[in-house]
Amino acid sequence: MIIETISYVCTRCQSANIYKNGHNQSGNAQFRCKDCGRSSVLKPKIKYTEEQKELIMNTYLERGSLRGMQ
C-alpha cells in the first residue's frame, strides 16, 4: 500500500502551521495560518491569462459589463 502525503504551506509566510477554516462561497476549502493569521485558499479555481486580465481591465475602464465581453 502506497500512502502519498501532501504538505501545504502558508502563501504569505511559508509556514506549515496551517489549519482548515471552512469553505468560501465557491466551495473551495479555506485555510488559516496560525503564525501570521492569513486566511486563504490553497488552490483557487479561477485563473485568468494576461490577455484576459487586460481585456477585463479595458472593459472595466470603459464601464462595460463582463457579460457584454463575450
Side-chain angles (χ1 to χ4, degrees):
M1 185 162 110
I2 298 174
I3 298 174
E4 186 176 321
T5 305
I6 300 172
S7 60
Y8 294 104
V9 295
C10 176
T11 55
R12 180 188 291 164
C13 68
Q14 305 304 316
S15 169
N17 196 10
I18 60 175
Y19 63 95
K20 194 169 181 181
N21 192 28
H23 292 83
N24 64 7
Q25 292 178 348
S26 299
N28 294 340
Q30 284 195 309
F31 292 86
R32 185 179 265 320
C33 178
K34 289 183 180 180
D35 294 337
C36 68
R38 181 182 177 103
S39 179
S40 64
V41 176
L42 295 178
K43 295 181 182 178
K45 287 183 181 177
I46 298 175
K47 294 195 178 201
Y48 295 108
T49 63
E50 291 300 320
E51 295 85 23
Q52 289 173 329
K53 289 179 185 179
E54 186 176 339
L55 178 64
I56 290 170
M57 289 305 297
N58 289 337
T59 305
Y60 172 74
L61 293 174
E62 294 173 0
R63 296 191 181 264
S65 67
L66 288 176
R67 182 174 287 180
M69 285 187 340
Q70 299 174 358

Short mmCIF file of all heavy atoms in Angstrom, two decimals:
data_model
loop_
_atom_site.label_atom_id
_atom_site.label_comp_id
_atom_site.label_asym_id
_atom_site.label_seq_id
_atom_site.Cartn_x
_atom_site.Cartn_y
_atom_site.Cartn_z
N MET A 1 0.84 -1.18 0.00
CA MET A 1 0.00 0.00 0.00
C MET A 1 0.88 1.24 0.00
O MET A 1 1.81 1.36 0.80
CB MET A 1 -0.88 -0.01 1.23
CG MET A 1 -1.86 1.10 1.26
SD MET A 1 -3.18 0.77 2.41
CE MET A 1 -2.82 1.93 3.66
N ILE A 2 0.59 2.16 -0.92
CA ILE A 2 1.37 3.40 -1.03
C ILE A 2 0.54 4.54 -0.46
O ILE A 2 -0.61 4.73 -0.85
CB ILE A 2 1.73 3.69 -2.49
CG1 ILE A 2 2.59 2.57 -3.05
CG2 ILE A 2 2.42 5.03 -2.61
CD1 ILE A 2 2.87 2.69 -4.52
N ILE A 3 1.13 5.28 0.43
CA ILE A 3 0.47 6.44 1.03
C ILE A 3 1.24 7.68 0.59
O ILE A 3 2.44 7.79 0.81
CB ILE A 3 0.44 6.35 2.56
CG1 ILE A 3 -0.37 5.11 2.98
CG2 ILE A 3 -0.17 7.60 3.15
CD1 ILE A 3 -0.34 4.86 4.46
N GLU A 4 0.52 8.59 -0.04
CA GLU A 4 1.14 9.84 -0.50
C GLU A 4 0.72 10.96 0.43
O GLU A 4 -0.47 11.17 0.67
CB GLU A 4 0.68 10.15 -1.93
CG GLU A 4 1.37 11.33 -2.53
CD GLU A 4 0.96 11.53 -3.97
OE1 GLU A 4 0.81 10.54 -4.69
OE2 GLU A 4 0.79 12.69 -4.36
N THR A 5 1.67 11.69 0.96
CA THR A 5 1.40 12.77 1.88
C THR A 5 1.72 14.10 1.21
O THR A 5 2.82 14.28 0.67
CB THR A 5 2.26 12.63 3.16
OG1 THR A 5 2.02 11.36 3.72
CG2 THR A 5 1.92 13.71 4.15
N ILE A 6 0.76 15.01 1.25
CA ILE A 6 0.96 16.35 0.68
C ILE A 6 0.95 17.33 1.84
O ILE A 6 0.02 17.35 2.64
CB ILE A 6 -0.16 16.70 -0.31
CG1 ILE A 6 -0.19 15.70 -1.44
CG2 ILE A 6 0.02 18.11 -0.84
CD1 ILE A 6 -1.37 15.85 -2.37
N SER A 7 1.99 18.14 1.95
CA SER A 7 2.02 19.16 2.99
C SER A 7 1.95 20.53 2.35
O SER A 7 2.66 20.83 1.40
CB SER A 7 3.29 19.03 3.84
OG SER A 7 4.43 19.18 3.03
N TYR A 8 1.04 21.35 2.85
CA TYR A 8 0.83 22.69 2.32
C TYR A 8 1.49 23.71 3.23
O TYR A 8 1.69 23.45 4.42
CB TYR A 8 -0.66 22.99 2.22
CG TYR A 8 -1.38 22.12 1.22
CD1 TYR A 8 -2.19 21.08 1.62
CD2 TYR A 8 -1.25 22.36 -0.13
CE1 TYR A 8 -2.85 20.29 0.70
CE2 TYR A 8 -1.90 21.58 -1.06
CZ TYR A 8 -2.70 20.55 -0.64
OH TYR A 8 -3.34 19.78 -1.56
N VAL A 9 1.78 24.88 2.68
CA VAL A 9 2.37 25.96 3.45
C VAL A 9 1.57 27.24 3.22
O VAL A 9 0.84 27.36 2.25
CB VAL A 9 3.86 26.20 3.08
CG1 VAL A 9 4.71 25.01 3.46
CG2 VAL A 9 4.01 26.52 1.61
N CYS A 10 1.73 28.17 4.12
CA CYS A 10 1.06 29.47 4.02
C CYS A 10 1.59 30.21 2.81
O CYS A 10 2.79 30.19 2.52
CB CYS A 10 1.32 30.27 5.29
SG CYS A 10 0.64 31.95 5.25
N THR A 11 0.69 30.89 2.09
CA THR A 11 1.11 31.63 0.90
C THR A 11 1.83 32.93 1.24
O THR A 11 2.51 33.49 0.39
CB THR A 11 -0.11 31.95 0.01
OG1 THR A 11 -1.09 32.65 0.79
CG2 THR A 11 -0.72 30.67 -0.53
N ARG A 12 1.72 33.41 2.47
CA ARG A 12 2.39 34.65 2.86
C ARG A 12 3.73 34.39 3.56
O ARG A 12 4.77 34.89 3.15
CB ARG A 12 1.51 35.48 3.79
CG ARG A 12 2.19 36.79 4.21
CD ARG A 12 1.42 37.53 5.27
NE ARG A 12 0.17 38.06 4.73
CZ ARG A 12 -0.82 38.48 5.48
NH1 ARG A 12 -0.75 38.42 6.78
NH2 ARG A 12 -1.91 38.96 4.93
N CYS A 13 3.72 33.57 4.61
CA CYS A 13 4.94 33.41 5.42
C CYS A 13 5.63 32.07 5.22
O CYS A 13 6.64 31.81 5.87
CB CYS A 13 4.60 33.61 6.90
SG CYS A 13 3.56 32.31 7.60
N GLN A 14 5.09 31.20 4.37
CA GLN A 14 5.66 29.89 4.06
C GLN A 14 5.72 28.96 5.27
O GLN A 14 6.52 28.04 5.32
CB GLN A 14 7.06 30.04 3.44
CG GLN A 14 7.11 30.91 2.21
CD GLN A 14 6.15 30.45 1.12
OE1 GLN A 14 6.07 29.27 0.84
NE2 GLN A 14 5.44 31.38 0.51
N SER A 15 4.89 29.19 6.28
CA SER A 15 4.84 28.34 7.46
C SER A 15 3.95 27.13 7.18
O SER A 15 2.95 27.23 6.47
CB SER A 15 4.27 29.13 8.64
OG SER A 15 3.98 28.28 9.71
N ALA A 16 4.28 26.01 7.75
CA ALA A 16 3.48 24.80 7.60
C ALA A 16 2.44 24.69 8.72
O ALA A 16 1.70 23.71 8.79
CB ALA A 16 4.37 23.57 7.60
N ASN A 17 2.34 25.69 9.57
CA ASN A 17 1.44 25.70 10.71
C ASN A 17 0.08 26.28 10.30
O ASN A 17 -0.31 27.35 10.72
CB ASN A 17 2.08 26.51 11.84
CG ASN A 17 1.41 26.27 13.16
OD1 ASN A 17 0.60 25.37 13.30
ND2 ASN A 17 1.77 27.08 14.14
N ILE A 18 -0.67 25.53 9.46
CA ILE A 18 -1.97 25.99 8.98
C ILE A 18 -3.04 24.97 9.34
O ILE A 18 -2.75 23.81 9.61
CB ILE A 18 -1.98 26.24 7.46
CG1 ILE A 18 -1.64 24.97 6.70
CG2 ILE A 18 -1.02 27.36 7.08
CD1 ILE A 18 -1.74 25.11 5.19
N TYR A 19 -4.30 25.45 9.37
CA TYR A 19 -5.40 24.54 9.65
C TYR A 19 -6.60 24.91 8.77
O TYR A 19 -6.72 26.03 8.30
CB TYR A 19 -5.79 24.56 11.13
CG TYR A 19 -6.31 25.90 11.64
CD1 TYR A 19 -7.67 26.16 11.69
CD2 TYR A 19 -5.43 26.88 12.08
CE1 TYR A 19 -8.14 27.38 12.16
CE2 TYR A 19 -5.89 28.09 12.55
CZ TYR A 19 -7.25 28.33 12.59
OH TYR A 19 -7.71 29.53 13.04
N LYS A 20 -7.48 23.95 8.55
CA LYS A 20 -8.64 24.14 7.71
C LYS A 20 -9.62 25.06 8.42
O LYS A 20 -9.89 24.90 9.60
CB LYS A 20 -9.27 22.80 7.38
CG LYS A 20 -10.27 22.85 6.27
CD LYS A 20 -10.64 21.46 5.85
CE LYS A 20 -11.63 21.54 4.70
NZ LYS A 20 -12.04 20.22 4.26
N ASN A 21 -10.17 26.03 7.66
CA ASN A 21 -11.03 27.05 8.26
C ASN A 21 -12.31 27.21 7.45
O ASN A 21 -12.66 28.31 7.05
CB ASN A 21 -10.25 28.37 8.34
CG ASN A 21 -10.96 29.39 9.21
OD1 ASN A 21 -11.67 29.02 10.12
ND2 ASN A 21 -10.76 30.66 8.92
N GLY A 22 -13.01 26.12 7.16
CA GLY A 22 -14.28 26.20 6.47
C GLY A 22 -14.13 26.29 4.96
O GLY A 22 -13.10 25.94 4.39
N HIS A 23 -15.19 26.80 4.30
CA HIS A 23 -15.22 26.93 2.85
C HIS A 23 -15.67 28.34 2.47
O HIS A 23 -16.38 28.99 3.23
CB HIS A 23 -16.21 25.92 2.24
CG HIS A 23 -15.76 24.51 2.39
ND1 HIS A 23 -15.99 23.77 3.53
CD2 HIS A 23 -15.09 23.69 1.55
CE1 HIS A 23 -15.49 22.57 3.38
NE2 HIS A 23 -14.93 22.49 2.19
N ASN A 24 -15.27 28.79 1.28
CA ASN A 24 -15.72 30.09 0.79
C ASN A 24 -16.98 29.89 -0.06
O ASN A 24 -17.52 28.80 -0.16
CB ASN A 24 -14.61 30.81 0.01
CG ASN A 24 -14.19 30.08 -1.23
OD1 ASN A 24 -14.79 29.09 -1.63
ND2 ASN A 24 -13.14 30.57 -1.86
N GLN A 25 -17.48 30.96 -0.69
CA GLN A 25 -18.72 30.88 -1.46
C GLN A 25 -18.59 29.99 -2.68
O GLN A 25 -19.58 29.43 -3.14
CB GLN A 25 -19.15 32.27 -1.89
CG GLN A 25 -19.58 33.14 -0.74
CD GLN A 25 -19.95 34.54 -1.16
OE1 GLN A 25 -19.68 34.94 -2.28
NE2 GLN A 25 -20.55 35.29 -0.26
N SER A 26 -17.40 29.83 -3.21
CA SER A 26 -17.18 28.98 -4.38
C SER A 26 -17.09 27.51 -4.01
O SER A 26 -17.07 26.66 -4.89
CB SER A 26 -15.89 29.38 -5.11
OG SER A 26 -15.98 30.70 -5.55
N GLY A 27 -17.00 27.21 -2.74
CA GLY A 27 -16.89 25.83 -2.30
C GLY A 27 -15.47 25.36 -2.07
O GLY A 27 -15.24 24.21 -1.74
N ASN A 28 -14.49 26.26 -2.25
CA ASN A 28 -13.09 25.90 -2.01
C ASN A 28 -12.82 25.90 -0.51
O ASN A 28 -13.34 26.72 0.23
CB ASN A 28 -12.15 26.92 -2.66
CG ASN A 28 -12.22 26.89 -4.15
OD1 ASN A 28 -12.66 25.92 -4.73
ND2 ASN A 28 -11.80 27.97 -4.79
N ALA A 29 -11.98 24.97 -0.07
CA ALA A 29 -11.60 24.92 1.35
C ALA A 29 -10.67 26.08 1.67
O ALA A 29 -9.73 26.36 0.93
CB ALA A 29 -10.90 23.60 1.65
N GLN A 30 -10.96 26.77 2.77
CA GLN A 30 -10.11 27.87 3.21
C GLN A 30 -9.23 27.40 4.35
O GLN A 30 -9.62 26.54 5.14
CB GLN A 30 -10.95 29.05 3.68
CG GLN A 30 -11.55 29.83 2.55
CD GLN A 30 -12.04 31.17 3.01
OE1 GLN A 30 -12.78 31.26 3.98
NE2 GLN A 30 -11.65 32.20 2.32
N PHE A 31 -8.04 27.96 4.41
CA PHE A 31 -7.08 27.62 5.45
C PHE A 31 -6.61 28.88 6.15
O PHE A 31 -6.53 29.94 5.54
CB PHE A 31 -5.88 26.89 4.84
CG PHE A 31 -6.24 25.53 4.31
CD1 PHE A 31 -6.73 25.37 3.03
CD2 PHE A 31 -6.10 24.41 5.10
CE1 PHE A 31 -7.06 24.12 2.54
CE2 PHE A 31 -6.43 23.16 4.63
CZ PHE A 31 -6.92 23.02 3.34
N ARG A 32 -6.31 28.78 7.44
CA ARG A 32 -5.81 29.90 8.21
C ARG A 32 -4.46 29.53 8.79
O ARG A 32 -4.26 28.43 9.29
CB ARG A 32 -6.76 30.25 9.34
CG ARG A 32 -6.33 31.51 10.09
CD ARG A 32 -7.25 31.90 11.18
NE ARG A 32 -8.29 32.85 11.03
CZ ARG A 32 -8.30 33.99 10.37
NH1 ARG A 32 -7.28 34.34 9.69
NH2 ARG A 32 -9.31 34.80 10.38
N CYS A 33 -3.53 30.47 8.69
CA CYS A 33 -2.18 30.28 9.22
C CYS A 33 -2.17 30.67 10.70
O CYS A 33 -2.67 31.74 11.07
CB CYS A 33 -1.19 31.14 8.44
SG CYS A 33 0.50 31.02 9.04
N LYS A 34 -1.62 29.81 11.54
CA LYS A 34 -1.54 30.11 12.97
C LYS A 34 -0.44 31.11 13.28
O LYS A 34 -0.48 31.77 14.32
CB LYS A 34 -1.30 28.82 13.77
CG LYS A 34 -2.49 27.90 13.79
CD LYS A 34 -2.22 26.69 14.66
CE LYS A 34 -3.41 25.77 14.68
NZ LYS A 34 -3.17 24.58 15.52
N ASP A 35 0.53 31.26 12.38
CA ASP A 35 1.65 32.17 12.65
C ASP A 35 1.33 33.61 12.26
O ASP A 35 1.48 34.53 13.05
CB ASP A 35 2.90 31.69 11.92
CG ASP A 35 3.40 30.36 12.46
OD1 ASP A 35 3.08 30.03 13.62
OD2 ASP A 35 4.09 29.66 11.72
N CYS A 36 0.87 33.82 11.01
CA CYS A 36 0.64 35.20 10.55
C CYS A 36 -0.84 35.58 10.52
O CYS A 36 -1.17 36.75 10.37
CB CYS A 36 1.27 35.42 9.17
SG CYS A 36 0.47 34.52 7.82
N GLY A 37 -1.75 34.60 10.64
CA GLY A 37 -3.18 34.90 10.68
C GLY A 37 -3.85 35.03 9.33
O GLY A 37 -5.03 35.33 9.25
N ARG A 38 -3.13 34.80 8.25
CA ARG A 38 -3.70 34.93 6.91
C ARG A 38 -4.69 33.80 6.65
O ARG A 38 -4.44 32.66 6.96
CB ARG A 38 -2.61 34.91 5.86
CG ARG A 38 -3.16 35.05 4.45
CD ARG A 38 -2.04 34.97 3.44
NE ARG A 38 -2.54 35.04 2.10
CZ ARG A 38 -2.48 36.13 1.33
NH1 ARG A 38 -1.91 37.20 1.80
NH2 ARG A 38 -2.96 36.11 0.12
N SER A 39 -5.82 34.16 6.05
CA SER A 39 -6.81 33.18 5.64
C SER A 39 -6.86 33.19 4.13
O SER A 39 -7.05 34.24 3.51
CB SER A 39 -8.18 33.55 6.22
OG SER A 39 -9.14 32.63 5.81
N SER A 40 -6.66 32.03 3.51
CA SER A 40 -6.62 31.98 2.05
C SER A 40 -7.00 30.60 1.55
O SER A 40 -7.13 29.66 2.31
CB SER A 40 -5.21 32.34 1.55
OG SER A 40 -4.29 31.37 2.00
N VAL A 41 -7.19 30.52 0.24
CA VAL A 41 -7.49 29.27 -0.44
C VAL A 41 -6.19 28.76 -1.04
O VAL A 41 -5.44 29.51 -1.65
CB VAL A 41 -8.54 29.51 -1.55
CG1 VAL A 41 -8.79 28.24 -2.33
CG2 VAL A 41 -9.82 30.03 -0.95
N LEU A 42 -5.90 27.48 -0.87
CA LEU A 42 -4.64 26.94 -1.37
C LEU A 42 -4.68 26.70 -2.87
O LEU A 42 -3.68 26.87 -3.55
CB LEU A 42 -4.31 25.64 -0.65
CG LEU A 42 -4.04 25.78 0.83
CD1 LEU A 42 -3.78 24.43 1.45
CD2 LEU A 42 -2.87 26.71 1.09
N LYS A 43 -5.83 26.29 -3.40
CA LYS A 43 -5.95 26.03 -4.83
C LYS A 43 -7.16 26.79 -5.40
O LYS A 43 -8.25 26.25 -5.48
CB LYS A 43 -6.14 24.54 -5.08
CG LYS A 43 -4.96 23.70 -4.70
CD LYS A 43 -5.23 22.25 -5.02
CE LYS A 43 -4.07 21.38 -4.61
NZ LYS A 43 -4.35 19.96 -4.87
N PRO A 44 -6.98 28.06 -5.78
CA PRO A 44 -8.11 28.80 -6.34
C PRO A 44 -8.58 28.22 -7.66
O PRO A 44 -7.79 27.68 -8.44
CB PRO A 44 -7.56 30.21 -6.54
CG PRO A 44 -6.14 30.18 -6.19
CD PRO A 44 -5.78 28.83 -5.67
N LYS A 45 -9.88 28.29 -7.95
CA LYS A 45 -10.45 27.71 -9.16
C LYS A 45 -10.26 28.62 -10.37
O LYS A 45 -9.98 28.15 -11.45
CB LYS A 45 -11.94 27.45 -8.97
CG LYS A 45 -12.25 26.30 -8.06
CD LYS A 45 -13.74 26.05 -7.99
CE LYS A 45 -14.05 24.91 -7.07
NZ LYS A 45 -15.49 24.69 -6.94
N ILE A 46 -10.42 29.92 -10.21
CA ILE A 46 -10.40 30.84 -11.34
C ILE A 46 -8.98 31.37 -11.55
O ILE A 46 -8.38 31.94 -10.66
CB ILE A 46 -11.35 32.02 -11.12
CG1 ILE A 46 -12.78 31.51 -10.98
CG2 ILE A 46 -11.25 33.02 -12.24
CD1 ILE A 46 -13.78 32.57 -10.65
N LYS A 47 -8.48 31.16 -12.76
CA LYS A 47 -7.18 31.73 -13.14
C LYS A 47 -7.36 32.37 -14.50
O LYS A 47 -7.87 31.75 -15.43
CB LYS A 47 -6.11 30.65 -13.18
CG LYS A 47 -5.83 30.07 -11.82
CD LYS A 47 -4.55 29.31 -11.83
CE LYS A 47 -4.31 28.81 -10.42
NZ LYS A 47 -2.97 28.49 -10.15
N TYR A 48 -6.95 33.60 -14.61
CA TYR A 48 -7.05 34.33 -15.86
C TYR A 48 -5.67 34.47 -16.50
O TYR A 48 -4.68 34.66 -15.80
CB TYR A 48 -7.64 35.73 -15.62
CG TYR A 48 -9.06 35.72 -15.13
CD1 TYR A 48 -9.36 36.05 -13.82
CD2 TYR A 48 -10.10 35.37 -15.97
CE1 TYR A 48 -10.66 36.05 -13.36
CE2 TYR A 48 -11.41 35.36 -15.53
CZ TYR A 48 -11.68 35.70 -14.22
OH TYR A 48 -12.97 35.70 -13.77
N THR A 49 -5.63 34.43 -17.82
CA THR A 49 -4.39 34.68 -18.53
C THR A 49 -4.16 36.19 -18.56
O THR A 49 -5.05 36.98 -18.26
CB THR A 49 -4.45 34.13 -19.96
OG1 THR A 49 -5.48 34.83 -20.67
CG2 THR A 49 -4.72 32.64 -19.97
N GLU A 50 -2.97 36.60 -18.96
CA GLU A 50 -2.66 38.03 -19.04
C GLU A 50 -3.55 38.73 -20.05
O GLU A 50 -3.97 39.87 -19.84
CB GLU A 50 -1.18 38.23 -19.38
CG GLU A 50 -0.24 37.83 -18.27
CD GLU A 50 -0.47 38.60 -16.98
OE1 GLU A 50 -0.72 39.83 -17.04
OE2 GLU A 50 -0.42 37.97 -15.91
N GLU A 51 -3.87 38.08 -21.17
CA GLU A 51 -4.74 38.67 -22.19
C GLU A 51 -6.15 38.88 -21.63
O GLU A 51 -6.78 39.90 -21.87
CB GLU A 51 -4.81 37.79 -23.44
CG GLU A 51 -3.50 37.66 -24.19
CD GLU A 51 -2.60 36.57 -23.63
OE1 GLU A 51 -3.11 35.64 -22.98
OE2 GLU A 51 -1.38 36.68 -23.82
N GLN A 52 -6.64 37.89 -20.88
CA GLN A 52 -7.96 38.01 -20.28
C GLN A 52 -7.99 39.12 -19.23
O GLN A 52 -8.97 39.87 -19.15
CB GLN A 52 -8.39 36.69 -19.65
CG GLN A 52 -8.71 35.61 -20.66
CD GLN A 52 -8.96 34.26 -20.00
OE1 GLN A 52 -8.40 33.96 -18.94
NE2 GLN A 52 -9.82 33.46 -20.61
N LYS A 53 -6.93 39.24 -18.44
CA LYS A 53 -6.87 40.31 -17.45
C LYS A 53 -6.89 41.67 -18.12
O LYS A 53 -7.55 42.60 -17.65
CB LYS A 53 -5.61 40.17 -16.60
CG LYS A 53 -5.64 39.01 -15.63
CD LYS A 53 -4.34 38.94 -14.87
CE LYS A 53 -4.27 37.73 -13.98
NZ LYS A 53 -3.01 37.63 -13.24
N GLU A 54 -6.13 41.80 -19.22
CA GLU A 54 -6.09 43.08 -19.94
C GLU A 54 -7.46 43.41 -20.53
O GLU A 54 -7.91 44.55 -20.44
CB GLU A 54 -5.04 42.99 -21.05
CG GLU A 54 -4.83 44.31 -21.76
CD GLU A 54 -3.71 44.22 -22.78
OE1 GLU A 54 -2.86 43.31 -22.67
OE2 GLU A 54 -3.71 45.07 -23.68
N LEU A 55 -8.14 42.42 -21.10
CA LEU A 55 -9.47 42.63 -21.65
C LEU A 55 -10.46 43.04 -20.56
O LEU A 55 -11.27 43.95 -20.75
CB LEU A 55 -9.96 41.36 -22.36
CG LEU A 55 -11.36 41.41 -22.95
CD1 LEU A 55 -11.45 42.45 -24.05
CD2 LEU A 55 -11.75 40.04 -23.48
N ILE A 56 -10.38 42.39 -19.41
CA ILE A 56 -11.27 42.72 -18.30
C ILE A 56 -11.02 44.14 -17.81
O ILE A 56 -11.97 44.91 -17.58
CB ILE A 56 -11.08 41.70 -17.16
CG1 ILE A 56 -11.64 40.35 -17.57
CG2 ILE A 56 -11.75 42.18 -15.88
CD1 ILE A 56 -11.30 39.22 -16.63
N MET A 57 -9.76 44.53 -17.68
CA MET A 57 -9.44 45.89 -17.21
C MET A 57 -9.90 46.94 -18.22
O MET A 57 -10.44 47.98 -17.84
CB MET A 57 -7.95 46.03 -16.93
CG MET A 57 -7.50 45.29 -15.69
SD MET A 57 -8.40 45.72 -14.20
CE MET A 57 -7.99 47.44 -14.02
N ASN A 58 -9.69 46.68 -19.52
CA ASN A 58 -10.14 47.64 -20.54
C ASN A 58 -11.66 47.77 -20.54
O ASN A 58 -12.20 48.87 -20.66
CB ASN A 58 -9.65 47.21 -21.93
CG ASN A 58 -8.16 47.41 -22.08
OD1 ASN A 58 -7.55 48.20 -21.37
ND2 ASN A 58 -7.55 46.67 -22.99
N THR A 59 -12.35 46.66 -20.40
CA THR A 59 -13.81 46.69 -20.35
C THR A 59 -14.29 47.42 -19.10
O THR A 59 -15.25 48.19 -19.14
CB THR A 59 -14.38 45.26 -20.36
OG1 THR A 59 -13.86 44.57 -21.49
CG2 THR A 59 -15.88 45.25 -20.41
N TYR A 60 -13.60 47.21 -17.98
CA TYR A 60 -13.96 47.89 -16.74
C TYR A 60 -13.78 49.41 -16.88
O TYR A 60 -14.64 50.18 -16.46
CB TYR A 60 -13.10 47.37 -15.59
CG TYR A 60 -13.27 48.14 -14.31
CD1 TYR A 60 -14.42 47.99 -13.55
CD2 TYR A 60 -12.29 49.01 -13.86
CE1 TYR A 60 -14.59 48.70 -12.38
CE2 TYR A 60 -12.44 49.72 -12.69
CZ TYR A 60 -13.60 49.57 -11.95
OH TYR A 60 -13.76 50.28 -10.79
N LEU A 61 -12.67 49.82 -17.50
CA LEU A 61 -12.43 51.25 -17.65
C LEU A 61 -13.41 51.91 -18.62
O LEU A 61 -13.69 53.10 -18.50
CB LEU A 61 -10.98 51.47 -18.13
CG LEU A 61 -9.91 51.08 -17.10
CD1 LEU A 61 -8.52 51.19 -17.72
CD2 LEU A 61 -10.02 51.94 -15.86
N GLU A 62 -13.95 51.13 -19.55
CA GLU A 62 -14.96 51.66 -20.48
C GLU A 62 -16.36 51.53 -19.91
O GLU A 62 -17.35 51.81 -20.58
CB GLU A 62 -14.88 50.90 -21.80
CG GLU A 62 -13.59 51.14 -22.55
CD GLU A 62 -13.47 50.25 -23.77
OE1 GLU A 62 -14.39 49.44 -24.03
OE2 GLU A 62 -12.45 50.35 -24.44
N ARG A 63 -16.46 51.07 -18.66
CA ARG A 63 -17.71 50.88 -17.94
C ARG A 63 -18.63 49.85 -18.60
O ARG A 63 -19.84 49.96 -18.56
CB ARG A 63 -18.45 52.20 -17.75
CG ARG A 63 -17.71 53.17 -16.89
CD ARG A 63 -18.60 54.33 -16.51
NE ARG A 63 -17.89 55.28 -15.71
CZ ARG A 63 -17.93 55.30 -14.38
NH1 ARG A 63 -18.62 54.41 -13.73
NH2 ARG A 63 -17.27 56.20 -13.71
N GLY A 64 -18.03 48.85 -19.23
CA GLY A 64 -18.80 47.76 -19.80
C GLY A 64 -19.00 46.67 -18.77
O GLY A 64 -18.48 46.71 -17.67
N SER A 65 -19.77 45.67 -19.12
CA SER A 65 -20.01 44.56 -18.21
C SER A 65 -19.22 43.34 -18.63
O SER A 65 -18.84 43.20 -19.79
CB SER A 65 -21.49 44.21 -18.17
OG SER A 65 -21.89 43.68 -19.41
N LEU A 66 -18.96 42.44 -17.69
CA LEU A 66 -18.27 41.20 -18.02
C LEU A 66 -19.12 40.35 -18.95
O LEU A 66 -18.61 39.66 -19.81
CB LEU A 66 -17.94 40.42 -16.75
CG LEU A 66 -16.84 41.00 -15.88
CD1 LEU A 66 -16.69 40.17 -14.60
CD2 LEU A 66 -15.52 41.04 -16.63
N ARG A 67 -20.44 40.40 -18.80
CA ARG A 67 -21.33 39.64 -19.67
C ARG A 67 -21.26 40.18 -21.09
O ARG A 67 -21.35 39.45 -22.06
CB ARG A 67 -22.75 39.70 -19.14
CG ARG A 67 -23.71 38.88 -19.98
CD ARG A 67 -25.07 38.84 -19.37
NE ARG A 67 -25.01 37.96 -18.21
CZ ARG A 67 -26.05 37.70 -17.44
NH1 ARG A 67 -27.21 38.25 -17.70
NH2 ARG A 67 -25.93 36.90 -16.40
N GLY A 68 -21.08 41.49 -21.24
CA GLY A 68 -21.01 42.11 -22.57
C GLY A 68 -19.73 41.81 -23.30
O GLY A 68 -19.63 42.02 -24.51
N MET A 69 -18.69 41.31 -22.62
CA MET A 69 -17.42 41.00 -23.25
C MET A 69 -17.52 39.77 -24.14
O MET A 69 -16.82 39.65 -25.12
CB MET A 69 -16.33 40.72 -22.21
CG MET A 69 -15.84 41.94 -21.55
SD MET A 69 -14.43 41.69 -20.47
CE MET A 69 -14.40 39.99 -20.07
N GLN A 70 -18.39 38.84 -23.82
CA GLN A 70 -18.44 37.56 -24.54
C GLN A 70 -19.11 37.66 -25.82
O GLN A 70 -19.58 38.18 -26.54
CB GLN A 70 -19.13 36.52 -23.69
CG GLN A 70 -18.37 36.31 -22.41
CD GLN A 70 -19.14 35.36 -21.47
OE1 GLN A 70 -20.20 34.93 -21.75
NE2 GLN A 70 -18.52 35.09 -20.35
#
